[in-house]
Short mmCIF file of all heavy atoms in Angstrom, two decimals:
data_model
loop_
_atom_site.label_atom_id
_atom_site.label_comp_id
_atom_site.label_asym_id
_atom_site.label_seq_id
_atom_site.Cartn_x
_atom_site.Cartn_y
_atom_site.Cartn_z
N MET W 266 55.14 -42.94 -13.35
CA MET W 266 54.08 -42.29 -14.05
C MET W 266 52.76 -42.21 -13.29
O MET W 266 52.28 -43.25 -12.81
CB MET W 266 53.83 -43.03 -15.40
CG MET W 266 52.82 -42.55 -16.30
SD MET W 266 52.85 -43.13 -17.94
CE MET W 266 51.67 -44.42 -17.87
N PRO W 267 52.27 -41.02 -13.07
CA PRO W 267 51.02 -40.92 -12.18
C PRO W 267 49.84 -41.40 -12.97
O PRO W 267 49.71 -41.26 -14.21
CB PRO W 267 50.93 -39.41 -11.93
CG PRO W 267 51.80 -38.69 -12.96
CD PRO W 267 52.83 -39.72 -13.36
N ARG W 268 48.87 -42.00 -12.15
CA ARG W 268 47.67 -42.52 -12.82
C ARG W 268 46.60 -41.37 -12.98
O ARG W 268 46.58 -40.49 -12.08
CB ARG W 268 47.00 -43.58 -11.89
CG ARG W 268 47.74 -44.88 -12.05
CD ARG W 268 46.93 -45.96 -11.34
NE ARG W 268 45.91 -45.54 -10.41
CZ ARG W 268 45.25 -46.32 -9.63
NH1 ARG W 268 45.72 -47.52 -9.37
NH2 ARG W 268 44.32 -45.92 -8.81
N SER W 269 45.84 -41.44 -13.97
CA SER W 269 44.78 -40.39 -14.13
C SER W 269 43.65 -40.85 -13.26
O SER W 269 43.51 -42.10 -12.96
CB SER W 269 44.38 -40.18 -15.60
OG SER W 269 43.77 -41.37 -16.11
N GLU W 270 42.71 -40.00 -12.96
CA GLU W 270 41.57 -40.26 -12.21
C GLU W 270 40.59 -41.14 -12.82
O GLU W 270 39.71 -41.80 -12.34
CB GLU W 270 40.88 -39.05 -11.66
CG GLU W 270 41.78 -38.36 -10.59
CD GLU W 270 41.10 -37.11 -9.99
OE1 GLU W 270 39.81 -37.12 -10.03
OE2 GLU W 270 41.81 -36.27 -9.47
N SER W 271 40.61 -41.23 -14.25
CA SER W 271 39.67 -41.96 -15.01
C SER W 271 39.98 -43.40 -15.05
O SER W 271 39.15 -44.24 -15.37
CB SER W 271 39.58 -41.37 -16.41
OG SER W 271 40.81 -41.66 -17.04
N GLU W 272 41.30 -43.84 -14.61
CA GLU W 272 41.57 -45.16 -14.60
C GLU W 272 40.87 -45.90 -13.37
O GLU W 272 40.86 -45.34 -12.32
CB GLU W 272 43.11 -45.40 -14.41
CG GLU W 272 43.82 -45.23 -15.72
CD GLU W 272 45.35 -45.37 -15.44
OE1 GLU W 272 45.67 -46.44 -14.76
OE2 GLU W 272 46.13 -44.74 -16.03
N THR W 273 40.38 -47.05 -13.57
CA THR W 273 39.79 -47.78 -12.42
C THR W 273 40.90 -48.57 -11.71
O THR W 273 41.80 -49.20 -12.35
CB THR W 273 38.72 -48.85 -12.92
OG1 THR W 273 39.32 -49.66 -13.82
CG2 THR W 273 37.54 -48.12 -13.58
N PRO W 274 40.86 -48.61 -10.41
CA PRO W 274 41.79 -49.44 -9.64
C PRO W 274 41.69 -50.96 -9.89
O PRO W 274 40.59 -51.39 -10.25
CB PRO W 274 41.55 -49.01 -8.16
CG PRO W 274 40.14 -48.68 -8.19
CD PRO W 274 39.87 -48.08 -9.55
N PRO W 275 42.72 -51.70 -9.66
CA PRO W 275 42.60 -53.14 -9.78
C PRO W 275 41.57 -53.68 -8.77
O PRO W 275 41.35 -53.11 -7.76
CB PRO W 275 44.04 -53.63 -9.47
CG PRO W 275 44.74 -52.55 -8.85
CD PRO W 275 44.02 -51.17 -9.17
N LEU W 276 41.01 -54.90 -9.17
CA LEU W 276 39.97 -55.40 -8.36
C LEU W 276 40.47 -55.75 -6.85
O LEU W 276 39.60 -55.65 -5.96
CB LEU W 276 39.40 -56.72 -8.94
CG LEU W 276 38.49 -56.48 -10.05
CD1 LEU W 276 38.00 -57.76 -10.70
CD2 LEU W 276 37.25 -55.66 -9.68
N TRP W 277 41.66 -56.16 -6.80
CA TRP W 277 42.07 -56.50 -5.38
C TRP W 277 42.21 -55.32 -4.40
O TRP W 277 42.33 -55.39 -3.25
CB TRP W 277 43.48 -57.22 -5.43
CG TRP W 277 44.63 -56.32 -5.88
CD1 TRP W 277 44.99 -56.20 -7.21
CD2 TRP W 277 45.50 -55.63 -5.12
NE1 TRP W 277 46.12 -55.38 -7.28
CE2 TRP W 277 46.41 -54.95 -5.97
CE3 TRP W 277 45.64 -55.28 -3.83
CZ2 TRP W 277 47.45 -54.07 -5.57
CZ3 TRP W 277 46.65 -54.49 -3.40
CH2 TRP W 277 47.54 -53.85 -4.25
N ARG W 278 42.02 -54.08 -4.98
CA ARG W 278 41.94 -52.87 -4.09
C ARG W 278 40.53 -52.36 -3.95
O ARG W 278 40.25 -51.44 -3.30
CB ARG W 278 42.81 -51.69 -4.82
CG ARG W 278 44.24 -52.02 -4.61
CD ARG W 278 44.95 -50.81 -5.14
NE ARG W 278 46.28 -50.87 -4.53
CZ ARG W 278 47.14 -49.75 -4.65
NH1 ARG W 278 46.70 -48.68 -5.31
NH2 ARG W 278 48.27 -49.90 -4.10
N ASN W 279 39.62 -52.95 -4.67
CA ASN W 279 38.16 -52.57 -4.60
C ASN W 279 37.51 -53.25 -3.45
O ASN W 279 37.34 -54.43 -3.32
CB ASN W 279 37.49 -52.98 -5.92
CG ASN W 279 35.97 -52.45 -5.97
OD1 ASN W 279 35.39 -52.27 -4.97
ND2 ASN W 279 35.62 -52.18 -7.23
N ARG W 280 37.17 -52.48 -2.41
CA ARG W 280 36.63 -52.95 -1.21
C ARG W 280 35.25 -53.74 -1.35
O ARG W 280 35.08 -54.80 -0.81
CB ARG W 280 36.35 -51.76 -0.20
CG ARG W 280 35.66 -52.20 1.10
CD ARG W 280 35.50 -51.01 2.08
NE ARG W 280 34.80 -51.44 3.25
CZ ARG W 280 33.38 -51.61 3.36
NH1 ARG W 280 32.63 -51.23 2.44
NH2 ARG W 280 32.96 -51.88 4.48
N ASP W 281 34.36 -53.22 -2.14
CA ASP W 281 33.13 -53.89 -2.40
C ASP W 281 33.28 -55.32 -3.05
O ASP W 281 32.64 -56.26 -2.72
CB ASP W 281 32.14 -53.01 -3.24
CG ASP W 281 31.66 -51.81 -2.51
OD1 ASP W 281 31.66 -51.80 -1.29
OD2 ASP W 281 31.32 -50.88 -3.17
N TYR W 282 34.23 -55.34 -4.01
CA TYR W 282 34.44 -56.56 -4.71
C TYR W 282 35.12 -57.63 -3.78
O TYR W 282 34.75 -58.76 -3.75
CB TYR W 282 35.51 -56.34 -5.86
CG TYR W 282 35.86 -57.60 -6.58
CD1 TYR W 282 35.02 -58.39 -7.39
CD2 TYR W 282 37.16 -58.20 -6.26
CE1 TYR W 282 35.46 -59.52 -7.99
CE2 TYR W 282 37.53 -59.38 -6.84
CZ TYR W 282 36.73 -60.04 -7.72
OH TYR W 282 37.01 -61.24 -8.26
N ASN W 283 35.92 -57.15 -2.92
CA ASN W 283 36.61 -58.05 -2.01
C ASN W 283 35.64 -58.56 -0.97
O ASN W 283 35.66 -59.71 -0.57
CB ASN W 283 37.80 -57.37 -1.14
CG ASN W 283 39.01 -57.21 -2.08
OD1 ASN W 283 39.20 -58.03 -2.91
ND2 ASN W 283 39.77 -56.13 -1.93
N LEU W 284 34.67 -57.73 -0.47
CA LEU W 284 33.60 -58.16 0.39
C LEU W 284 32.69 -59.14 -0.22
O LEU W 284 32.35 -60.18 0.26
CB LEU W 284 32.82 -56.99 0.93
CG LEU W 284 33.48 -56.14 1.96
CD1 LEU W 284 32.70 -54.81 2.21
CD2 LEU W 284 33.73 -56.90 3.23
N TRP W 285 32.37 -58.97 -1.50
CA TRP W 285 31.48 -59.90 -2.23
C TRP W 285 32.27 -61.19 -2.46
O TRP W 285 31.66 -62.20 -2.21
CB TRP W 285 31.14 -59.30 -3.64
CG TRP W 285 30.49 -60.16 -4.49
CD1 TRP W 285 29.17 -60.66 -4.59
CD2 TRP W 285 31.07 -61.04 -5.61
NE1 TRP W 285 28.96 -61.58 -5.41
CE2 TRP W 285 30.06 -61.75 -6.11
CE3 TRP W 285 32.42 -60.98 -6.11
CZ2 TRP W 285 30.44 -62.60 -7.21
CZ3 TRP W 285 32.69 -61.78 -7.20
CH2 TRP W 285 31.69 -62.63 -7.76
N TRP W 286 33.47 -61.16 -2.91
CA TRP W 286 34.26 -62.32 -3.15
C TRP W 286 34.40 -63.12 -1.86
O TRP W 286 34.24 -64.32 -1.85
CB TRP W 286 35.57 -62.04 -3.70
CG TRP W 286 36.36 -63.09 -4.16
CD1 TRP W 286 36.31 -63.78 -5.34
CD2 TRP W 286 37.31 -63.88 -3.33
NE1 TRP W 286 37.20 -64.87 -5.41
CE2 TRP W 286 37.75 -65.03 -4.15
CE3 TRP W 286 37.81 -63.81 -2.14
CZ2 TRP W 286 38.80 -65.83 -3.75
CZ3 TRP W 286 38.69 -64.81 -1.69
CH2 TRP W 286 39.19 -65.79 -2.46
N GLY W 287 34.79 -62.53 -0.73
CA GLY W 287 34.93 -63.20 0.52
C GLY W 287 33.58 -63.83 0.98
O GLY W 287 33.55 -64.98 1.55
N GLY W 288 32.50 -63.04 0.84
CA GLY W 288 31.30 -63.66 1.24
C GLY W 288 30.80 -64.81 0.42
O GLY W 288 30.16 -65.82 0.98
N SER W 289 31.08 -64.84 -0.89
CA SER W 289 30.76 -65.87 -1.76
C SER W 289 31.59 -67.08 -1.39
O SER W 289 31.14 -68.27 -1.33
CB SER W 289 31.05 -65.60 -3.19
OG SER W 289 30.13 -64.53 -3.61
N ALA W 290 32.85 -66.93 -1.02
CA ALA W 290 33.69 -67.94 -0.71
C ALA W 290 33.38 -68.64 0.56
O ALA W 290 33.30 -69.96 0.75
CB ALA W 290 35.23 -67.52 -0.52
N VAL W 291 33.01 -67.84 1.57
CA VAL W 291 32.44 -68.41 2.87
C VAL W 291 31.16 -69.18 2.66
O VAL W 291 30.94 -70.21 3.21
CB VAL W 291 32.36 -67.27 3.91
CG1 VAL W 291 31.57 -67.75 5.20
CG2 VAL W 291 33.69 -66.68 4.31
N SER W 292 30.33 -68.59 1.81
CA SER W 292 29.03 -69.21 1.56
C SER W 292 29.21 -70.66 0.83
O SER W 292 28.57 -71.64 1.24
CB SER W 292 28.18 -68.38 0.62
OG SER W 292 26.96 -69.10 0.31
N GLN W 293 30.13 -70.65 -0.15
CA GLN W 293 30.36 -71.98 -0.81
C GLN W 293 31.03 -73.03 0.16
O GLN W 293 30.69 -74.22 0.09
CB GLN W 293 31.22 -71.68 -2.04
CG GLN W 293 30.40 -71.13 -3.11
CD GLN W 293 31.22 -70.96 -4.45
OE1 GLN W 293 32.38 -71.32 -4.48
NE2 GLN W 293 30.67 -70.53 -5.45
N LEU W 294 31.85 -72.52 1.07
CA LEU W 294 32.49 -73.34 1.92
C LEU W 294 31.47 -73.99 2.87
O LEU W 294 31.49 -75.18 3.19
CB LEU W 294 33.56 -72.65 2.79
CG LEU W 294 34.32 -73.43 3.83
CD1 LEU W 294 35.11 -74.56 3.25
CD2 LEU W 294 35.16 -72.51 4.74
N GLY W 295 30.56 -73.15 3.38
CA GLY W 295 29.50 -73.56 4.26
C GLY W 295 28.61 -74.63 3.53
O GLY W 295 28.17 -75.62 4.18
N GLY W 296 28.26 -74.33 2.33
CA GLY W 296 27.46 -75.36 1.55
C GLY W 296 28.12 -76.64 1.40
O GLY W 296 27.58 -77.63 1.45
N GLY W 297 29.40 -76.59 1.13
CA GLY W 297 30.14 -77.83 0.95
C GLY W 297 30.28 -78.61 2.19
O GLY W 297 30.11 -79.78 2.24
N VAL W 298 30.51 -77.90 3.34
CA VAL W 298 30.59 -78.62 4.61
C VAL W 298 29.23 -79.22 4.97
O VAL W 298 29.19 -80.40 5.41
CB VAL W 298 31.00 -77.65 5.68
CG1 VAL W 298 30.88 -78.17 7.05
CG2 VAL W 298 32.58 -77.18 5.44
N SER W 299 28.18 -78.58 4.73
CA SER W 299 26.78 -79.10 5.11
C SER W 299 26.52 -80.30 4.19
O SER W 299 25.86 -81.21 4.64
CB SER W 299 25.75 -78.02 5.04
OG SER W 299 25.50 -77.65 3.69
N GLN W 300 26.99 -80.29 2.92
CA GLN W 300 26.73 -81.30 2.03
C GLN W 300 27.40 -82.63 2.51
O GLN W 300 26.94 -83.70 2.33
CB GLN W 300 27.12 -81.04 0.61
CG GLN W 300 26.63 -81.89 -0.48
CD GLN W 300 26.88 -81.37 -1.87
OE1 GLN W 300 27.65 -80.46 -2.06
NE2 GLN W 300 26.30 -82.05 -2.84
N LEU W 301 28.55 -82.45 3.16
CA LEU W 301 29.22 -83.52 3.75
C LEU W 301 28.75 -83.89 5.08
O LEU W 301 28.66 -85.14 5.40
CB LEU W 301 30.80 -83.30 3.80
CG LEU W 301 31.59 -84.28 4.49
CD1 LEU W 301 31.67 -85.55 3.59
CD2 LEU W 301 32.96 -83.77 4.63
N ALA W 302 28.37 -82.96 6.01
CA ALA W 302 28.02 -83.13 7.34
C ALA W 302 26.61 -83.90 7.51
O ALA W 302 26.57 -84.67 8.46
CB ALA W 302 28.04 -81.86 8.11
N TYR W 303 25.65 -83.48 6.72
CA TYR W 303 24.35 -84.07 6.91
C TYR W 303 24.31 -85.59 6.73
O TYR W 303 23.78 -86.35 7.56
CB TYR W 303 23.27 -83.38 6.08
CG TYR W 303 22.88 -82.04 6.61
CD1 TYR W 303 22.77 -80.92 5.76
CD2 TYR W 303 22.65 -81.78 7.91
CE1 TYR W 303 22.52 -79.74 6.22
CE2 TYR W 303 22.24 -80.58 8.38
CZ TYR W 303 22.20 -79.45 7.55
OH TYR W 303 21.87 -78.21 8.11
N PRO W 304 24.90 -86.11 5.64
CA PRO W 304 24.85 -87.49 5.54
C PRO W 304 25.72 -88.23 6.59
O PRO W 304 25.28 -89.35 7.13
CB PRO W 304 25.45 -87.79 4.15
CG PRO W 304 25.22 -86.56 3.37
CD PRO W 304 25.26 -85.52 4.41
N LEU W 305 26.77 -87.67 7.00
CA LEU W 305 27.55 -88.22 8.16
C LEU W 305 26.79 -88.21 9.43
O LEU W 305 26.86 -89.16 10.25
CB LEU W 305 29.00 -87.51 8.30
CG LEU W 305 29.93 -87.83 7.13
CD1 LEU W 305 31.20 -86.94 7.43
CD2 LEU W 305 30.23 -89.20 7.06
N LEU W 306 26.00 -87.13 9.67
CA LEU W 306 25.21 -87.08 10.83
C LEU W 306 24.16 -88.20 10.89
O LEU W 306 24.06 -88.86 11.92
CB LEU W 306 24.53 -85.65 10.90
CG LEU W 306 23.57 -85.51 12.16
CD1 LEU W 306 24.38 -85.48 13.43
CD2 LEU W 306 22.76 -84.23 11.86
N ILE W 307 23.55 -88.40 9.80
CA ILE W 307 22.57 -89.42 9.60
C ILE W 307 23.15 -90.76 9.88
O ILE W 307 22.61 -91.69 10.46
CB ILE W 307 21.73 -89.38 8.31
CG1 ILE W 307 21.01 -88.02 8.17
CG2 ILE W 307 20.88 -90.53 8.14
CD1 ILE W 307 20.03 -87.83 9.26
N LEU W 308 24.36 -90.96 9.27
CA LEU W 308 25.12 -92.22 9.36
C LEU W 308 25.43 -92.54 10.89
O LEU W 308 25.34 -93.64 11.42
CB LEU W 308 26.39 -92.23 8.54
CG LEU W 308 27.22 -93.47 8.56
CD1 LEU W 308 26.35 -94.68 8.01
CD2 LEU W 308 28.46 -93.25 7.70
N GLY W 309 25.81 -91.47 11.63
CA GLY W 309 26.12 -91.65 13.02
C GLY W 309 24.90 -91.89 13.89
O GLY W 309 25.00 -92.72 14.83
N VAL W 310 23.81 -91.26 13.50
CA VAL W 310 22.60 -91.39 14.41
C VAL W 310 21.84 -92.62 14.07
O VAL W 310 21.46 -93.44 14.99
CB VAL W 310 21.62 -90.17 14.17
CG1 VAL W 310 20.28 -90.38 14.78
CG2 VAL W 310 22.35 -88.96 14.76
N ALA W 311 21.67 -93.00 12.75
CA ALA W 311 20.87 -94.09 12.36
C ALA W 311 21.74 -95.43 12.06
O ALA W 311 21.13 -96.52 11.94
CB ALA W 311 20.08 -93.76 11.07
N ASP W 312 23.02 -95.32 12.00
CA ASP W 312 23.83 -96.49 11.67
C ASP W 312 23.45 -97.11 10.49
O ASP W 312 23.50 -98.37 10.31
CB ASP W 312 23.96 -97.46 12.89
CG ASP W 312 24.84 -96.95 14.07
OD1 ASP W 312 25.76 -96.17 13.66
OD2 ASP W 312 24.57 -97.33 15.12
N SER W 313 23.02 -96.43 9.44
CA SER W 313 22.52 -96.94 8.24
C SER W 313 23.08 -96.18 6.98
O SER W 313 22.78 -94.97 6.89
CB SER W 313 21.00 -96.91 8.17
OG SER W 313 20.49 -97.26 6.90
N ALA W 314 23.90 -96.95 6.19
CA ALA W 314 24.48 -96.23 5.06
C ALA W 314 23.45 -95.82 3.99
O ALA W 314 23.54 -94.88 3.34
CB ALA W 314 25.56 -97.17 4.47
N SER W 315 22.38 -96.63 3.96
CA SER W 315 21.30 -96.34 2.98
C SER W 315 20.53 -95.10 3.36
O SER W 315 20.29 -94.24 2.45
CB SER W 315 20.33 -97.48 2.85
OG SER W 315 19.72 -97.84 4.13
N SER W 316 20.35 -94.87 4.65
CA SER W 316 19.70 -93.62 5.13
C SER W 316 20.63 -92.37 4.82
O SER W 316 20.07 -91.34 4.37
CB SER W 316 19.45 -93.70 6.62
OG SER W 316 18.53 -94.69 6.94
N ALA W 317 21.86 -92.57 4.97
CA ALA W 317 22.81 -91.39 4.67
C ALA W 317 22.82 -91.21 3.20
O ALA W 317 22.82 -90.06 2.72
CB ALA W 317 24.24 -91.78 5.14
N GLY W 318 22.76 -92.25 2.30
CA GLY W 318 22.69 -92.06 0.93
C GLY W 318 21.43 -91.37 0.45
O GLY W 318 21.39 -90.62 -0.39
N ILE W 319 20.25 -91.73 1.13
CA ILE W 319 19.08 -91.12 0.77
C ILE W 319 19.00 -89.56 1.04
O ILE W 319 18.60 -88.79 0.31
CB ILE W 319 17.85 -91.79 1.45
CG1 ILE W 319 17.62 -93.22 0.93
CG2 ILE W 319 16.59 -90.94 1.40
CD1 ILE W 319 16.74 -94.12 1.71
N VAL W 320 19.62 -89.23 2.27
CA VAL W 320 19.74 -87.72 2.64
C VAL W 320 20.53 -87.01 1.58
O VAL W 320 20.21 -86.02 1.09
CB VAL W 320 20.31 -87.62 4.04
CG1 VAL W 320 20.79 -86.30 4.34
CG2 VAL W 320 19.32 -88.17 4.99
N ALA W 321 21.73 -87.61 1.19
CA ALA W 321 22.56 -87.05 0.18
C ALA W 321 21.92 -86.82 -1.13
O ALA W 321 22.00 -85.90 -1.88
CB ALA W 321 23.91 -87.82 0.06
N ALA W 322 21.15 -87.87 -1.56
CA ALA W 322 20.44 -87.90 -2.87
C ALA W 322 19.35 -86.85 -2.83
O ALA W 322 19.14 -86.13 -3.81
CB ALA W 322 19.87 -89.28 -3.15
N CYS W 323 18.57 -86.82 -1.74
CA CYS W 323 17.51 -85.78 -1.78
C CYS W 323 18.00 -84.33 -1.82
O CYS W 323 17.42 -83.54 -2.45
CB CYS W 323 16.76 -85.97 -0.44
SG CYS W 323 15.69 -87.33 -0.36
N ALA W 324 19.26 -84.04 -1.21
CA ALA W 324 19.85 -82.70 -1.36
C ALA W 324 20.22 -82.43 -2.81
O ALA W 324 19.99 -81.27 -3.31
CB ALA W 324 21.02 -82.59 -0.41
N ASN W 325 20.73 -83.42 -3.45
CA ASN W 325 21.18 -83.23 -4.98
C ASN W 325 19.93 -83.23 -5.78
O ASN W 325 20.00 -82.50 -6.92
CB ASN W 325 22.12 -84.26 -5.28
CG ASN W 325 23.52 -84.06 -4.61
OD1 ASN W 325 23.84 -83.01 -4.35
ND2 ASN W 325 24.15 -85.19 -4.30
N ILE W 326 18.88 -83.96 -5.50
CA ILE W 326 17.69 -83.96 -6.36
C ILE W 326 17.05 -82.68 -6.34
O ILE W 326 16.63 -82.07 -7.43
CB ILE W 326 16.67 -85.01 -5.92
CG1 ILE W 326 17.21 -86.37 -6.33
CG2 ILE W 326 15.32 -84.81 -6.52
CD1 ILE W 326 16.42 -87.60 -5.77
N GLY W 327 17.08 -81.73 -5.21
CA GLY W 327 16.52 -80.52 -5.21
C GLY W 327 17.34 -79.58 -6.04
O GLY W 327 16.67 -78.72 -6.82
N TYR W 328 18.59 -79.67 -6.13
CA TYR W 328 19.39 -78.76 -6.96
C TYR W 328 19.18 -79.13 -8.44
O TYR W 328 18.93 -78.29 -9.20
CB TYR W 328 20.91 -79.02 -6.54
CG TYR W 328 21.86 -78.26 -7.53
CD1 TYR W 328 21.97 -76.92 -7.45
CD2 TYR W 328 22.46 -78.98 -8.50
CE1 TYR W 328 22.83 -76.19 -8.30
CE2 TYR W 328 23.34 -78.29 -9.40
CZ TYR W 328 23.49 -76.89 -9.22
OH TYR W 328 24.33 -76.27 -10.20
N LEU W 329 19.15 -80.42 -8.73
CA LEU W 329 18.91 -80.80 -10.15
C LEU W 329 17.57 -80.34 -10.53
O LEU W 329 17.40 -79.95 -11.63
CB LEU W 329 19.09 -82.30 -10.24
CG LEU W 329 18.91 -82.95 -11.69
CD1 LEU W 329 20.04 -82.37 -12.50
CD2 LEU W 329 18.93 -84.39 -11.58
N GLY W 330 16.53 -80.55 -9.69
CA GLY W 330 15.19 -80.19 -10.14
C GLY W 330 15.03 -78.73 -10.31
O GLY W 330 14.08 -78.30 -11.15
N ALA W 331 15.79 -77.84 -9.66
CA ALA W 331 15.66 -76.46 -9.90
C ALA W 331 16.50 -75.86 -10.92
O ALA W 331 16.22 -74.91 -11.65
CB ALA W 331 15.99 -75.70 -8.53
N SER W 332 17.74 -76.56 -11.13
CA SER W 332 18.61 -75.98 -12.09
C SER W 332 18.21 -76.15 -13.55
O SER W 332 18.56 -75.31 -14.40
CB SER W 332 20.11 -76.46 -11.76
OG SER W 332 20.16 -77.89 -12.02
N ILE W 333 17.60 -77.29 -13.89
CA ILE W 333 17.27 -77.47 -15.25
C ILE W 333 16.18 -76.50 -15.68
O ILE W 333 16.32 -75.83 -16.74
CB ILE W 333 16.80 -78.96 -15.40
CG1 ILE W 333 18.04 -79.92 -15.31
CG2 ILE W 333 16.21 -79.12 -16.79
CD1 ILE W 333 17.84 -81.36 -15.37
N PRO W 334 15.09 -76.31 -14.97
CA PRO W 334 14.10 -75.34 -15.42
C PRO W 334 14.60 -73.86 -15.39
O PRO W 334 14.31 -73.11 -16.29
CB PRO W 334 12.99 -75.49 -14.47
CG PRO W 334 13.03 -76.88 -13.82
CD PRO W 334 14.52 -77.15 -13.83
N ALA W 335 15.51 -73.64 -14.38
CA ALA W 335 16.12 -72.26 -14.36
C ALA W 335 17.03 -72.04 -15.59
O ALA W 335 16.98 -70.92 -16.12
CB ALA W 335 16.86 -72.09 -13.09
N GLY W 336 17.72 -72.96 -16.05
CA GLY W 336 18.51 -72.87 -17.26
C GLY W 336 17.73 -72.67 -18.48
O GLY W 336 18.04 -71.92 -19.32
N VAL W 337 16.71 -73.47 -18.64
CA VAL W 337 15.79 -73.25 -19.74
C VAL W 337 15.24 -71.82 -19.72
O VAL W 337 15.16 -71.13 -20.76
CB VAL W 337 14.62 -74.30 -19.73
CG1 VAL W 337 13.57 -73.94 -20.76
CG2 VAL W 337 15.23 -75.68 -19.90
N ALA W 338 14.76 -71.38 -18.63
CA ALA W 338 14.09 -70.00 -18.57
C ALA W 338 15.23 -68.96 -18.87
O ALA W 338 14.91 -67.95 -19.54
CB ALA W 338 13.58 -69.74 -17.06
N ALA W 339 16.41 -69.13 -18.35
CA ALA W 339 17.53 -68.22 -18.64
C ALA W 339 17.85 -68.12 -20.14
O ALA W 339 18.16 -67.15 -20.71
CB ALA W 339 18.68 -68.45 -17.86
N ASP W 340 17.71 -69.28 -20.80
CA ASP W 340 17.97 -69.28 -22.33
C ASP W 340 17.00 -68.64 -23.04
O ASP W 340 17.25 -68.08 -24.18
CB ASP W 340 18.16 -70.76 -22.78
CG ASP W 340 19.48 -71.38 -22.35
OD1 ASP W 340 20.44 -70.57 -21.97
OD2 ASP W 340 19.64 -72.61 -22.38
N ARG W 341 15.70 -68.63 -22.59
CA ARG W 341 14.54 -68.18 -23.36
C ARG W 341 14.43 -66.63 -23.18
O ARG W 341 13.90 -65.90 -24.01
CB ARG W 341 13.27 -68.77 -22.98
CG ARG W 341 13.34 -70.20 -23.47
CD ARG W 341 12.05 -70.88 -23.34
NE ARG W 341 12.13 -72.29 -23.76
CZ ARG W 341 11.23 -73.09 -23.60
NH1 ARG W 341 10.08 -72.87 -22.99
NH2 ARG W 341 11.39 -74.43 -24.08
N VAL W 342 15.01 -66.02 -22.10
CA VAL W 342 14.95 -64.57 -21.89
C VAL W 342 16.11 -63.94 -22.65
O VAL W 342 17.16 -64.32 -22.39
CB VAL W 342 14.92 -64.39 -20.34
CG1 VAL W 342 15.03 -62.82 -20.07
CG2 VAL W 342 13.71 -64.97 -19.59
N SER W 343 15.62 -62.96 -23.41
CA SER W 343 16.66 -62.31 -24.24
C SER W 343 17.48 -61.21 -23.51
O SER W 343 18.57 -60.97 -23.91
CB SER W 343 16.04 -61.71 -25.56
OG SER W 343 15.06 -60.75 -25.25
N GLY W 344 16.87 -60.56 -22.60
CA GLY W 344 17.62 -59.44 -21.92
C GLY W 344 17.11 -59.30 -20.51
O GLY W 344 16.17 -59.85 -20.11
N VAL W 345 17.79 -58.45 -19.77
CA VAL W 345 17.48 -58.18 -18.44
C VAL W 345 16.62 -56.92 -18.33
O VAL W 345 16.94 -55.92 -18.90
CB VAL W 345 18.76 -58.04 -17.53
CG1 VAL W 345 18.43 -57.60 -16.12
CG2 VAL W 345 19.65 -59.22 -17.60
N ARG W 346 15.42 -57.04 -17.61
CA ARG W 346 14.55 -55.91 -17.49
C ARG W 346 14.66 -55.41 -16.03
O ARG W 346 14.26 -56.10 -15.05
CB ARG W 346 13.21 -56.26 -17.82
CG ARG W 346 13.07 -56.64 -19.26
CD ARG W 346 11.67 -57.09 -19.61
NE ARG W 346 11.69 -57.87 -20.79
CZ ARG W 346 11.38 -59.21 -20.76
NH1 ARG W 346 11.17 -59.88 -19.61
NH2 ARG W 346 11.46 -59.93 -21.93
N CYS W 347 15.14 -54.20 -15.83
CA CYS W 347 15.30 -53.74 -14.43
C CYS W 347 14.29 -52.54 -14.20
O CYS W 347 14.13 -51.76 -15.02
CB CYS W 347 16.74 -53.21 -14.14
SG CYS W 347 17.82 -54.62 -14.03
#
């Protein structure tokens, strides 16, 4: 049965979607690797587990400090204005 032109193709055939998905996957992989690598780098350089823990905590505190106010702001805005 031939497809009509009004049907949208599946997402796995959409080039823009695949590029966006691939870029997001690579970005998340890089973020995860750096979240693991920085404390290990500090542990190797300073030979101090507490220093490595402080580096890991500081990275997570920045995320926590930004995500809570951003969530509150997103809940209070009723619509997107472009």
Side-chain angles (χ1 to χ4, degrees):
M266 180 164 98
R268 284 188 349 190
S269 67
E270 290 186 25
S271 64
E272 285 185 36
T273 58
L276 283 179
W277 65 272
R278 288 186 157 189
N279 187 328
R280 178 182 177 272
D281 291 337
Y282 175 76
N283 285 329
L284 288 174
W285 169 78
W286 188 87
S289 294
V291 169
S292 175
Q293 286 185 356
L294 178 65
V298 167
S299 69
Q300 192 173 12
L301 176 68
Y303 285 133
L305 289 177
L306 177 67
I307 297 299
L308 183 62
V310 170
D312 284 333
S313 171
S315 62
S316 295
I319 289 170
V320 168
C323 288
N325 290 327
I326 286 171
Y328 174 75
L329 182 65
S332 64
I333 291 176
V337 170
D340 286 341
R341 291 189 180 170
V342 174
S343 63
V345 177
R346 294 179 205 109
C347 293

